Amino acid sequence: MTLSAQIRDHHFDHILLNAAGVMCQTTEELDQIIETSNTGAVVTKSATTAPRPGNPKPRYHEMQDNLGTINSMGLPNEGFDYYLDYVLDKQNTTSKSIFFSIAGLTKQENIDMLHRLQDSNFNGLVELNLSCPNVPGKPQTAYDFEATQAILEEAFAFFTGDLGVKLPPYFDIVHFNQIAEVLNQFPLAFVNTINSIGNGLVIDPETDTVVIKPKGGFGGLGGTIVKATALANVRALRQRLNSSIKVIGTGGVTSGRDVYDLILCGADLIEIGSQLAIEGTPVFDRVTDELTAILKAKGYDNLNQVRGQLQIIE
Ligand code: RRO
């Protein structure tokens, strides 16, 4: 069974990888993702120029009955240089692709980091995270179409590497049209959809209290409860984006069937976030086994037979 994929010159032996933010803050965690057999790539924790401790704890919570997760990590990361050192070293010894995720707190900070990547020997992919919901006072850039257009104009004026964007979920057909119209103007290698559903609220019924401390309990939702939103965003963007822009499907993957559904909607690669946090790296083996069983049962031997083949009711 072939579970491979391609973005530009980057070949992926396997479609699965971690979602940015989960098991990817330290070199030890990043190594673990790379060394897991059923992953095709790794993505680094979104970096800012300087290291950040992130928001006060508790800042992550798993809902009962595997409904999903809520987080307000607040962009804790080891700083741009830490990840640049890691990827420059690692790209010489691993055959897996590396996504370098950046999430500057201002447009200028993102542009500065992109300049540094452009001037470096990094030969992987760069993911510009325009959708972090958890930094107090900072809106999610990709909900502002003009700001998104402006940062991409500035970035592509000099950046020649393989660049993609991490998007927040959209909930309106007009918004799907508007973001696609912006993105189609640029030579993006990929879009990654979705980041967590921003600013949900979870309550502990025993104590009548929120479950995370930052922002009065508001945080990004992930896991099972976001699957339908992830499917819709992958589908809607695949239908609207230029075929040269690949789509990474992220959100609500807990099983092989979830991966299969995202591929039906047109996803090229699949990232696992919440369930990786819950289950650890064995999730990649289990989900791969489940996906392979589904493909076999349906008589498929590669993912191109499935990708984008979602049926609608006429
Ligand atoms: O660190 C976070 O709070 C965080 C980020 Br940068 C993000 O992009 N998405 C998310 O759910 N949490």
Side-chain angles (χ1 to χ4, degrees), residues 20-22 25 45-48 52 54-55 59 69-77 101-103 127 129-135 140 166 194-198 219-222:
V22 181
Q25 186 169 338
K45 172 67 187 174
S46 296
T48 49
R52 284 172 57 87
N55 291 336
R59 57 190 188 183
T69 61
I70 182 167
N71 88 83
S72 183
M73 304 301 289
L75 210 32
N77 76 93
S101 174
I102 60 170
E127 179 168 286
N129 182 354
L130 298 178
S131 47
C132 174
N134 298 331
V135 179
Q140 289 163 269
K166 180 79 174 270
I194 59 174
N195 205 322
S196 56
I197 298 182
L221 305 177

PDB file of all heavy atoms in Angstrom, residues 20-22 25 45-48 52 54-55 59 69-77 101-103 127 129-135 140 166 194-198 219-222, ligand 1:
ATOM      1  N   ALA A  20       1.488  21.292  14.028  1.00  0.00           N
ATOM      2  CA  ALA A  20       2.351  22.246  14.733  1.00  0.00           C
ATOM      3  C   ALA A  20       1.810  22.472  16.138  1.00  0.00           C
ATOM      4  O   ALA A  20       0.599  22.628  16.331  1.00  0.00           O
ATOM      5  CB  ALA A  20       2.421  23.569  13.983  1.00  0.00           C
ATOM      6  N   GLY A  21       2.692  22.465  17.102  1.00  0.00           N
ATOM      7  CA  GLY A  21       2.293  22.719  18.479  1.00  0.00           C
ATOM      8  C   GLY A  21       2.276  21.466  19.319  1.00  0.00           C
ATOM      9  O   GLY A  21       2.416  21.543  20.532  1.00  0.00           O
ATOM     10  N   VAL A  22       2.092  20.316  18.686  1.00  0.00           N
ATOM     11  CA  VAL A  22       2.006  19.085  19.457  1.00  0.00           C
ATOM     12  C   VAL A  22       3.278  18.256  19.270  1.00  0.00           C
ATOM     13  O   VAL A  22       3.659  17.932  18.139  1.00  0.00           O
ATOM     14  CB  VAL A  22       0.761  18.259  19.056  1.00  0.00           C
ATOM     15  CG1 VAL A  22       0.690  16.989  19.909  1.00  0.00           C
ATOM     16  CG2 VAL A  22      -0.499  19.091  19.222  1.00  0.00           C
ATOM     17  N   GLN A  25       8.086  20.953  20.431  1.00  0.00           N
ATOM     18  CA  GLN A  25       8.702  22.168  20.970  1.00  0.00           C
ATOM     19  C   GLN A  25      10.202  22.003  21.201  1.00  0.00           C
ATOM     20  O   GLN A  25      10.976  22.944  21.010  1.00  0.00           O
ATOM     21  CB  GLN A  25       8.016  22.591  22.279  1.00  0.00           C
ATOM     22  CG  GLN A  25       8.546  23.931  22.766  1.00  0.00           C
ATOM     23  CD  GLN A  25       7.734  24.540  23.888  1.00  0.00           C
ATOM     24  OE1 GLN A  25       6.564  24.218  24.061  1.00  0.00           O
ATOM     25  NE2 GLN A  25       8.352  25.424  24.652  1.00  0.00           N
ATOM     26  N   LYS A  45       7.286  23.481  16.338  1.00  0.00           N
ATOM     27  CA  LYS A  45       6.413  24.409  17.059  1.00  0.00           C
ATOM     28  C   LYS A  45       6.573  25.805  16.443  1.00  0.00           C
ATOM     29  O   LYS A  45       7.697  26.228  16.151  1.00  0.00           O
ATOM     30  CB  LYS A  45       6.799  24.457  18.544  1.00  0.00           C
ATOM     31  CG  LYS A  45       6.077  25.547  19.356  1.00  0.00           C
ATOM     32  CD  LYS A  45       4.584  25.312  19.503  1.00  0.00           C
ATOM     33  CE  LYS A  45       3.873  26.500  20.156  1.00  0.00           C
ATOM     34  NZ  LYS A  45       2.409  26.344  20.164  1.00  0.00           N
ATOM     35  N   SER A  46       5.475  26.499  16.246  1.00  0.00           N
ATOM     36  CA  SER A  46       5.560  27.841  15.670  1.00  0.00           C
ATOM     37  C   SER A  46       6.527  28.691  16.480  1.00  0.00           C
ATOM     38  O   SER A  46       6.407  28.781  17.710  1.00  0.00           O
ATOM     39  CB  SER A  46       4.181  28.506  15.666  1.00  0.00           C
ATOM     40  OG  SER A  46       3.284  27.798  14.838  1.00  0.00           O
ATOM     41  N   ALA A  47       7.452  29.328  15.760  1.00  0.00           N
ATOM     42  CA  ALA A  47       8.507  30.092  16.420  1.00  0.00           C
ATOM     43  C   ALA A  47       8.227  31.588  16.374  1.00  0.00           C
ATOM     44  O   ALA A  47       7.654  32.109  15.418  1.00  0.00           O
ATOM     45  CB  ALA A  47       9.848  29.810  15.738  1.00  0.00           C
ATOM     46  N   THR A  48       8.668  32.250  17.433  1.00  0.00           N
ATOM     47  CA  THR A  48       8.800  33.706  17.432  1.00  0.00           C
ATOM     48  C   THR A  48      10.302  33.997  17.478  1.00  0.00           C
ATOM     49  O   THR A  48      11.107  33.099  17.744  1.00  0.00           O
ATOM     50  CB  THR A  48       8.095  34.319  18.652  1.00  0.00           C
ATOM     51  OG1 THR A  48       8.511  33.608  19.839  1.00  0.00           O
ATOM     52  CG2 THR A  48       6.590  34.218  18.527  1.00  0.00           C
ATOM     53  N   ARG A  52       9.660  32.145  24.185  1.00  0.00           N
ATOM     54  CA  ARG A  52       8.503  32.592  24.970  1.00  0.00           C
ATOM     55  C   ARG A  52       8.080  31.489  25.936  1.00  0.00           C
ATOM     56  O   ARG A  52       8.002  30.327  25.534  1.00  0.00           O
ATOM     57  CB  ARG A  52       7.302  32.847  24.044  1.00  0.00           C
ATOM     58  CG  ARG A  52       7.322  34.109  23.238  1.00  0.00           C
ATOM     59  CD  ARG A  52       6.153  34.090  22.229  1.00  0.00           C
ATOM     60  NE  ARG A  52       4.855  33.928  22.864  1.00  0.00           N
ATOM     61  CZ  ARG A  52       4.115  34.939  23.327  1.00  0.00           C
ATOM     62  NH1 ARG A  52       4.559  36.177  23.206  1.00  0.00           N
ATOM     63  NH2 ARG A  52       2.952  34.722  23.882  1.00  0.00           N
ATOM     64  N   GLY A  54       5.061  31.296  27.126  1.00  0.00           N
ATOM     65  CA  GLY A  54       3.644  31.035  26.878  1.00  0.00           C
ATOM     66  C   GLY A  54       2.768  31.497  28.029  1.00  0.00           C
ATOM     67  O   GLY A  54       3.221  32.205  28.935  1.00  0.00           O
ATOM     68  N   ASN A  55       1.488  31.103  27.966  1.00  0.00           N
ATOM     69  CA  ASN A  55       0.502  31.558  28.949  1.00  0.00           C
ATOM     70  C   ASN A  55       0.618  30.761  30.252  1.00  0.00           C
ATOM     71  O   ASN A  55       1.173  29.659  30.276  1.00  0.00           O
ATOM     72  CB  ASN A  55      -0.915  31.398  28.377  1.00  0.00           C
ATOM     73  CG  ASN A  55      -1.189  32.372  27.240  1.00  0.00           C
ATOM     74  OD1 ASN A  55      -0.557  33.424  27.159  1.00  0.00           O
ATOM     75  ND2 ASN A  55      -2.120  32.015  26.359  1.00  0.00           N
ATOM     76  N   ARG A  59      -3.260  25.323  30.906  1.00  0.00           N
ATOM     77  CA  ARG A  59      -3.489  25.940  29.596  1.00  0.00           C
ATOM     78  C   ARG A  59      -3.846  24.912  28.529  1.00  0.00           C
ATOM     79  O   ARG A  59      -3.923  25.237  27.351  1.00  0.00           O
ATOM     80  CB  ARG A  59      -2.267  26.757  29.192  1.00  0.00           C
ATOM     81  CG  ARG A  59      -0.972  25.952  29.145  1.00  0.00           C
ATOM     82  CD  ARG A  59       0.236  26.870  28.987  1.00  0.00           C
ATOM     83  NE  ARG A  59       1.455  26.085  28.760  1.00  0.00           N
ATOM     84  CZ  ARG A  59       2.666  26.618  28.644  1.00  0.00           C
ATOM     85  NH1 ARG A  59       2.839  27.924  28.723  1.00  0.00           N
ATOM     86  NH2 ARG A  59       3.715  25.846  28.419  1.00  0.00           N
ATOM     87  N   THR A  69     -10.126  18.678  22.714  1.00  0.00           N
ATOM     88  CA  THR A  69      -9.224  19.399  23.623  1.00  0.00           C
ATOM     89  C   THR A  69      -9.487  20.897  23.523  1.00  0.00           C
ATOM     90  O   THR A  69     -10.046  21.384  22.540  1.00  0.00           O
ATOM     91  CB  THR A  69      -7.753  19.144  23.253  1.00  0.00           C
ATOM     92  OG1 THR A  69      -7.501  19.624  21.921  1.00  0.00           O
ATOM     93  CG2 THR A  69      -7.401  17.667  23.340  1.00  0.00           C
ATOM     94  N   ILE A  70      -9.069  21.604  24.576  1.00  0.00           N
ATOM     95  CA  ILE A  70      -9.045  23.063  24.520  1.00  0.00           C
ATOM     96  C   ILE A  70      -7.654  23.484  24.978  1.00  0.00           C
ATOM     97  O   ILE A  70      -7.113  22.916  25.938  1.00  0.00           O
ATOM     98  CB  ILE A  70     -10.159  23.699  25.374  1.00  0.00           C
ATOM     99  CG1 ILE A  70     -10.149  25.231  25.258  1.00  0.00           C
ATOM    100  CG2 ILE A  70     -10.083  23.266  26.834  1.00  0.00           C
ATOM    101  CD1 ILE A  70     -11.404  25.900  25.829  1.00  0.00           C
ATOM    102  N   ASN A  71      -7.061  24.449  24.252  1.00  0.00           N
ATOM    103  CA  ASN A  71      -5.738  24.914  24.671  1.00  0.00           C
ATOM    104  C   ASN A  71      -5.648  26.424  24.551  1.00  0.00           C
ATOM    105  O   ASN A  71      -6.282  27.043  23.694  1.00  0.00           O
ATOM    106  CB  ASN A  71      -4.632  24.247  23.828  1.00  0.00           C
ATOM    107  CG  ASN A  71      -4.309  25.008  22.552  1.00  0.00           C
ATOM    108  OD1 ASN A  71      -3.536  25.982  22.565  1.00  0.00           O
ATOM    109  ND2 ASN A  71      -4.922  24.587  21.439  1.00  0.00           N
ATOM    110  N   SER A  72      -4.852  26.980  25.448  1.00  0.00           N
ATOM    111  CA  SER A  72      -4.419  28.359  25.305  1.00  0.00           C
ATOM    112  C   SER A  72      -2.951  28.419  25.713  1.00  0.00           C
ATOM    113  O   SER A  72      -2.593  28.983  26.746  1.00  0.00           O
ATOM    114  CB  SER A  72      -5.266  29.304  26.162  1.00  0.00           C
ATOM    115  OG  SER A  72      -4.846  30.640  25.915  1.00  0.00           O
ATOM    116  N   MET A  73      -2.144  27.749  24.902  1.00  0.00           N
ATOM    117  CA  MET A  73      -0.718  27.622  25.229  1.00  0.00           C
ATOM    118  C   MET A  73      -0.040  28.999  25.198  1.00  0.00           C
ATOM    119  O   MET A  73       0.839  29.276  26.002  1.00  0.00           O
ATOM    120  CB  MET A  73      -0.031  26.687  24.231  1.00  0.00           C
ATOM    121  CG  MET A  73      -0.662  25.293  24.127  1.00  0.00           C
ATOM    122  SD  MET A  73      -0.679  24.404  25.685  1.00  0.00           S
ATOM    123  CE  MET A  73       1.041  24.028  25.867  1.00  0.00           C
ATOM    124  N   GLY A  74      -0.450  29.839  24.248  1.00  0.00           N
ATOM    125  CA  GLY A  74       0.130  31.180  24.165  1.00  0.00           C
ATOM    126  C   GLY A  74       1.489  31.219  23.505  1.00  0.00           C
ATOM    127  O   GLY A  74       2.339  32.037  23.862  1.00  0.00           O
ATOM    128  N   LEU A  75       1.682  30.290  22.554  1.00  0.00           N
ATOM    129  CA  LEU A  75       2.893  30.320  21.724  1.00  0.00           C
ATOM    130  C   LEU A  75       4.189  30.098  22.520  1.00  0.00           C
ATOM    131  O   LEU A  75       5.188  30.788  22.290  1.00  0.00           O
ATOM    132  CB  LEU A  75       2.922  31.662  20.967  1.00  0.00           C
ATOM    133  CG  LEU A  75       3.558  31.859  19.601  1.00  0.00           C
ATOM    134  CD1 LEU A  75       3.493  30.634  18.716  1.00  0.00           C
ATOM    135  CD2 LEU A  75       2.962  33.058  18.928  1.00  0.00           C
ATOM    136  N   PRO A  76       4.179  29.141  23.449  1.00  0.00           N
ATOM    137  CA  PRO A  76       5.456  28.838  24.104  1.00  0.00           C
ATOM    138  C   PRO A  76       6.394  28.224  23.074  1.00  0.00           C
ATOM    139  O   PRO A  76       5.999  27.333  22.322  1.00  0.00           O
ATOM    140  CB  PRO A  76       5.061  27.789  25.166  1.00  0.00           C
ATOM    141  CG  PRO A  76       3.848  27.116  24.604  1.00  0.00           C
ATOM    142  CD  PRO A  76       3.118  28.186  23.827  1.00  0.00           C
ATOM    143  N   ASN A  77       7.600  28.718  22.973  1.00  0.00           N
ATOM    144  CA  ASN A  77       8.554  28.139  22.015  1.00  0.00           C
ATOM    145  C   ASN A  77       9.958  28.551  22.405  1.00  0.00           C
ATOM    146  O   ASN A  77      10.156  29.461  23.202  1.00  0.00           O
ATOM    147  CB  ASN A  77       8.187  28.533  20.583  1.00  0.00           C
ATOM    148  CG  ASN A  77       8.561  29.957  20.242  1.00  0.00           C
ATOM    149  OD1 ASN A  77       9.641  30.226  19.725  1.00  0.00           O
ATOM    150  ND2 ASN A  77       7.680  30.918  20.552  1.00  0.00           N
ATOM    151  N   SER A 101       7.730  26.097  11.137  1.00  0.00           N
ATOM    152  CA  SER A 101       6.559  26.954  11.376  1.00  0.00           C
ATOM    153  C   SER A 101       6.978  28.240  12.078  1.00  0.00           C
ATOM    154  O   SER A 101       7.719  28.205  13.064  1.00  0.00           O
ATOM    155  CB  SER A 101       5.532  26.205  12.235  1.00  0.00           C
ATOM    156  OG  SER A 101       4.463  27.072  12.580  1.00  0.00           O
ATOM    157  N   ILE A 102       6.483  29.359  11.571  1.00  0.00           N
ATOM    158  CA  ILE A 102       6.757  30.646  12.219  1.00  0.00           C
ATOM    159  C   ILE A 102       5.435  31.361  12.521  1.00  0.00           C
ATOM    160  O   ILE A 102       4.460  31.243  11.774  1.00  0.00           O
ATOM    161  CB  ILE A 102       7.670  31.555  11.361  1.00  0.00           C
ATOM    162  CG1 ILE A 102       7.043  31.856  10.002  1.00  0.00           C
ATOM    163  CG2 ILE A 102       9.046  30.935  11.202  1.00  0.00           C
ATOM    164  CD1 ILE A 102       7.786  32.945   9.220  1.00  0.00           C
ATOM    165  N   ALA A 103       5.438  32.079  13.622  1.00  0.00           N
ATOM    166  CA  ALA A 103       4.232  32.828  14.029  1.00  0.00           C
ATOM    167  C   ALA A 103       4.662  34.107  14.735  1.00  0.00           C
ATOM    168  O   ALA A 103       4.531  34.244  15.957  1.00  0.00           O
ATOM    169  CB  ALA A 103       3.345  31.981  14.934  1.00  0.00           C
ATOM    170  N   GLU A 127       6.059  27.087   7.022  1.00  0.00           N
ATOM    171  CA  GLU A 127       4.625  27.297   7.276  1.00  0.00           C
ATOM    172  C   GLU A 127       4.461  28.594   8.063  1.00  0.00           C
ATOM    173  O   GLU A 127       4.949  28.717   9.181  1.00  0.00           O
ATOM    174  CB  GLU A 127       4.063  26.113   8.066  1.00  0.00           C
ATOM    175  CG  GLU A 127       2.583  26.251   8.388  1.00  0.00           C
ATOM    176  CD  GLU A 127       1.978  24.954   8.905  1.00  0.00           C
ATOM    177  OE1 GLU A 127       1.770  24.040   8.078  1.00  0.00           O
ATOM    178  OE2 GLU A 127       1.731  24.841  10.114  1.00  0.00           O
ATOM    179  N   ASN A 129       2.214  30.682  10.146  1.00  0.00           N
ATOM    180  CA  ASN A 129       1.011  30.473  10.954  1.00  0.00           C
ATOM    181  C   ASN A 129       0.281  31.802  11.107  1.00  0.00           C
ATOM    182  O   ASN A 129       0.719  32.670  11.861  1.00  0.00           O
ATOM    183  CB  ASN A 129       1.423  29.891  12.316  1.00  0.00           C
ATOM    184  CG  ASN A 129       0.238  29.599  13.223  1.00  0.00           C
ATOM    185  OD1 ASN A 129      -0.904  29.931  12.891  1.00  0.00           O
ATOM    186  ND2 ASN A 129       0.499  28.995  14.368  1.00  0.00           N
ATOM    187  N   LEU A 130      -0.838  31.934  10.401  1.00  0.00           N
ATOM    188  CA  LEU A 130      -1.626  33.174  10.454  1.00  0.00           C
ATOM    189  C   LEU A 130      -2.880  32.979  11.305  1.00  0.00           C
ATOM    190  O   LEU A 130      -3.880  33.671  11.110  1.00  0.00           O
ATOM    191  CB  LEU A 130      -2.028  33.593   9.036  1.00  0.00           C
ATOM    192  CG  LEU A 130      -0.880  33.918   8.068  1.00  0.00           C
ATOM    193  CD1 LEU A 130      -1.431  34.272   6.682  1.00  0.00           C
ATOM    194  CD2 LEU A 130      -0.021  35.066   8.604  1.00  0.00           C
ATOM    195  N   SER A 131      -2.843  32.031  12.239  1.00  0.00           N
ATOM    196  CA  SER A 131      -4.096  31.631  12.885  1.00  0.00           C
ATOM    197  C   SER A 131      -3.992  31.260  14.351  1.00  0.00           C
ATOM    198  O   SER A 131      -4.889  30.590  14.871  1.00  0.00           O
ATOM    199  CB  SER A 131      -4.695  30.459  12.104  1.00  0.00           C
ATOM    200  OG  SER A 131      -3.714  29.473  11.826  1.00  0.00           O
ATOM    201  N   CYS A 132      -2.957  31.707  15.047  1.00  0.00           N
ATOM    202  CA  CYS A 132      -2.901  31.393  16.487  1.00  0.00           C
ATOM    203  C   CYS A 132      -3.997  32.170  17.225  1.00  0.00           C
ATOM    204  O   CYS A 132      -4.032  33.396  17.154  1.00  0.00           O
ATOM    205  CB  CYS A 132      -1.551  31.735  17.093  1.00  0.00           C
ATOM    206  SG  CYS A 132      -1.576  31.499  18.891  1.00  0.00           S
ATOM    207  N   PRO A 133      -4.894  31.471  17.940  1.00  0.00           N
ATOM    208  CA  PRO A 133      -5.987  32.173  18.612  1.00  0.00           C
ATOM    209  C   PRO A 133      -5.677  32.597  20.042  1.00  0.00           C
ATOM    210  O   PRO A 133      -6.548  33.150  20.709  1.00  0.00           O
ATOM    211  CB  PRO A 133      -7.094  31.108  18.617  1.00  0.00           C
ATOM    212  CG  PRO A 133      -6.372  29.806  18.700  1.00  0.00           C
ATOM    213  CD  PRO A 133      -5.036  30.007  18.041  1.00  0.00           C
ATOM    214  N   ASN A 134      -4.479  32.354  20.522  1.00  0.00           N
ATOM    215  CA  ASN A 134      -4.269  32.381  21.974  1.00  0.00           C
ATOM    216  C   ASN A 134      -3.309  33.421  22.517  1.00  0.00           C
ATOM    217  O   ASN A 134      -2.925  33.336  23.679  1.00  0.00           O
ATOM    218  CB  ASN A 134      -3.784  30.997  22.432  1.00  0.00           C
ATOM    219  CG  ASN A 134      -4.811  29.916  22.160  1.00  0.00           C
ATOM    220  OD1 ASN A 134      -5.999  30.187  22.152  1.00  0.00           O
ATOM    221  ND2 ASN A 134      -4.343  28.715  21.912  1.00  0.00           N
ATOM    222  N   VAL A 135      -2.903  34.377  21.731  1.00  0.00           N
ATOM    223  CA  VAL A 135      -2.030  35.411  22.285  1.00  0.00           C
ATOM    224  C   VAL A 135      -2.911  36.619  22.626  1.00  0.00           C
ATOM    225  O   VAL A 135      -3.486  37.246  21.730  1.00  0.00           O
ATOM    226  CB  VAL A 135      -0.910  35.815  21.302  1.00  0.00           C
ATOM    227  CG1 VAL A 135      -0.052  36.916  21.909  1.00  0.00           C
ATOM    228  CG2 VAL A 135      -0.055  34.598  20.963  1.00  0.00           C
ATOM    229  N   GLN A 140      -6.356  36.817  15.045  1.00  0.00           N
ATOM    230  CA  GLN A 140      -5.901  35.819  14.078  1.00  0.00           C
ATOM    231  C   GLN A 140      -5.838  36.500  12.705  1.00  0.00           C
ATOM    232  O   GLN A 140      -6.865  36.838  12.123  1.00  0.00           O
ATOM    233  CB  GLN A 140      -6.873  34.634  14.060  1.00  0.00           C
ATOM    234  CG  GLN A 140      -6.796  33.792  15.327  1.00  0.00           C
ATOM    235  CD  GLN A 140      -8.015  32.906  15.485  1.00  0.00           C
ATOM    236  OE1 GLN A 140      -9.009  33.291  16.105  1.00  0.00           O
ATOM    237  NE2 GLN A 140      -7.948  31.718  14.947  1.00  0.00           N
ATOM    238  N   LYS A 166      -0.802  28.484   7.446  1.00  0.00           N
ATOM    239  CA  LYS A 166      -1.710  27.755   8.335  1.00  0.00           C
ATOM    240  C   LYS A 166      -2.911  28.647   8.597  1.00  0.00           C
ATOM    241  O   LYS A 166      -2.773  29.782   9.082  1.00  0.00           O
ATOM    242  CB  LYS A 166      -0.992  27.425   9.648  1.00  0.00           C
ATOM    243  CG  LYS A 166      -1.836  26.666  10.687  1.00  0.00           C
ATOM    244  CD  LYS A 166      -1.941  25.195  10.371  1.00  0.00           C
ATOM    245  CE  LYS A 166      -2.654  24.388  11.454  1.00  0.00           C
ATOM    246  NZ  LYS A 166      -1.741  23.881  12.480  1.00  0.00           N
ATOM    247  N   ILE A 194      -7.302  22.820   9.281  1.00  0.00           N
ATOM    248  CA  ILE A 194      -7.545  24.028  10.047  1.00  0.00           C
ATOM    249  C   ILE A 194      -6.635  24.090  11.281  1.00  0.00           C
ATOM    250  O   ILE A 194      -6.183  23.033  11.766  1.00  0.00           O
ATOM    251  CB  ILE A 194      -9.018  24.081  10.566  1.00  0.00           C
ATOM    252  CG1 ILE A 194      -9.311  22.848  11.444  1.00  0.00           C
ATOM    253  CG2 ILE A 194     -10.001  24.172   9.428  1.00  0.00           C
ATOM    254  CD1 ILE A 194     -10.679  22.851  12.143  1.00  0.00           C
ATOM    255  N   ASN A 195      -6.391  25.295  11.775  1.00  0.00           N
ATOM    256  CA  ASN A 195      -5.882  25.458  13.133  1.00  0.00           C
ATOM    257  C   ASN A 195      -7.048  25.172  14.091  1.00  0.00           C
ATOM    258  O   ASN A 195      -8.151  24.835  13.650  1.00  0.00           O
ATOM    259  CB  ASN A 195      -5.358  26.890  13.316  1.00  0.00           C
ATOM    260  CG  ASN A 195      -4.297  27.001  14.402  1.00  0.00           C
ATOM    261  OD1 ASN A 195      -4.392  26.349  15.438  1.00  0.00           O
ATOM    262  ND2 ASN A 195      -3.284  27.824  14.167  1.00  0.00           N
ATOM    263  N   SER A 196      -6.822  25.284  15.368  1.00  0.00           N
ATOM    264  CA  SER A 196      -7.915  25.030  16.310  1.00  0.00           C
ATOM    265  C   SER A 196      -9.054  26.036  16.084  1.00  0.00           C
ATOM    266  O   SER A 196      -8.847  27.112  15.525  1.00  0.00           O
ATOM    267  CB  SER A 196      -7.409  25.121  17.757  1.00  0.00           C
ATOM    268  OG  SER A 196      -6.807  26.365  17.995  1.00  0.00           O
ATOM    269  N   ILE A 197     -10.271  25.631  16.477  1.00  0.00           N
ATOM    270  CA  ILE A 197     -11.405  26.563  16.415  1.00  0.00           C
ATOM    271  C   ILE A 197     -11.246  27.523  17.591  1.00  0.00           C
ATOM    272  O   ILE A 197     -11.336  27.120  18.754  1.00  0.00           O
ATOM    273  CB  ILE A 197     -12.753  25.818  16.502  1.00  0.00           C
ATOM    274  CG1 ILE A 197     -12.919  24.872  15.312  1.00  0.00           C
ATOM    275  CG2 ILE A 197     -13.912  26.814  16.571  1.00  0.00           C
ATOM    276  CD1 ILE A 197     -14.244  24.119  15.286  1.00  0.00           C
ATOM    277  N   GLY A 198     -10.996  28.769  17.279  1.00  0.00           N
ATOM    278  CA  GLY A 198     -10.586  29.720  18.314  1.00  0.00           C
ATOM    279  C   GLY A 198     -11.670  30.068  19.316  1.00  0.00           C
ATOM    280  O   GLY A 198     -12.860  30.110  18.991  1.00  0.00           O
ATOM    281  N   GLY A 219     -10.290  29.314  24.738  1.00  0.00           N
ATOM    282  CA  GLY A 219      -9.140  28.671  24.107  1.00  0.00           C
ATOM    283  C   GLY A 219      -9.514  27.977  22.809  1.00  0.00           C
ATOM    284  O   GLY A 219     -10.699  27.856  22.459  1.00  0.00           O
ATOM    285  N   GLY A 220      -8.508  27.497  22.113  1.00  0.00           N
ATOM    286  CA  GLY A 220      -8.706  26.849  20.805  1.00  0.00           C
ATOM    287  C   GLY A 220      -9.145  25.404  20.976  1.00  0.00           C
ATOM    288  O   GLY A 220      -8.565  24.654  21.763  1.00  0.00           O
ATOM    289  N   LEU A 221     -10.165  25.017  20.220  1.00  0.00           N
ATOM    290  CA  LEU A 221     -10.709  23.659  20.291  1.00  0.00           C
ATOM    291  C   LEU A 221     -10.061  22.772  19.238  1.00  0.00           C
ATOM    292  O   LEU A 221      -9.855  23.195  18.088  1.00  0.00           O
ATOM    293  CB  LEU A 221     -12.220  23.673  20.066  1.00  0.00           C
ATOM    294  CG  LEU A 221     -13.043  24.579  20.974  1.00  0.00           C
ATOM    295  CD1 LEU A 221     -14.521  24.528  20.562  1.00  0.00           C
ATOM    296  CD2 LEU A 221     -12.881  24.166  22.432  1.00  0.00           C
ATOM    297  N   GLY A 222      -9.771  21.529  19.641  1.00  0.00           N
ATOM    298  CA  GLY A 222      -9.242  20.544  18.692  1.00  0.00           C
ATOM    299  C   GLY A 222      -9.854  19.188  18.957  1.00  0.00           C
ATOM    300  O   GLY A 222     -10.656  19.023  19.882  1.00  0.00           O
TER     301      GLY A 222
HETATM  302  O1  RRO B   1       0.510  28.190  21.184  1.00  0.00           O
HETATM  303  C1  RRO B   1      -0.732  28.227  21.057  1.00  0.00           C
HETATM  304  O2  RRO B   1      -1.484  28.654  21.951  1.00  0.00           O
HETATM  305  C2  RRO B   1      -1.389  27.800  19.822  1.00  0.00           C
HETATM  306  C3  RRO B   1      -0.973  28.171  18.548  1.00  0.00           C
HETATM  307 BR1  RRO B   1       0.592  29.148  18.247  1.00  0.00          BR
HETATM  308  C4  RRO B   1      -1.745  27.798  17.437  1.00  0.00           C
HETATM  309  O3  RRO B   1      -1.463  28.121  16.273  1.00  0.00           O
HETATM  310  N1  RRO B   1      -2.878  27.081  17.652  1.00  0.00           N
HETATM  311  C5  RRO B   1      -3.266  26.706  18.882  1.00  0.00           C
HETATM  312  O4  RRO B   1      -4.308  26.041  19.029  1.00  0.00           O
HETATM  313  N2  RRO B   1      -2.508  27.062  19.968  1.00  0.00           N
END
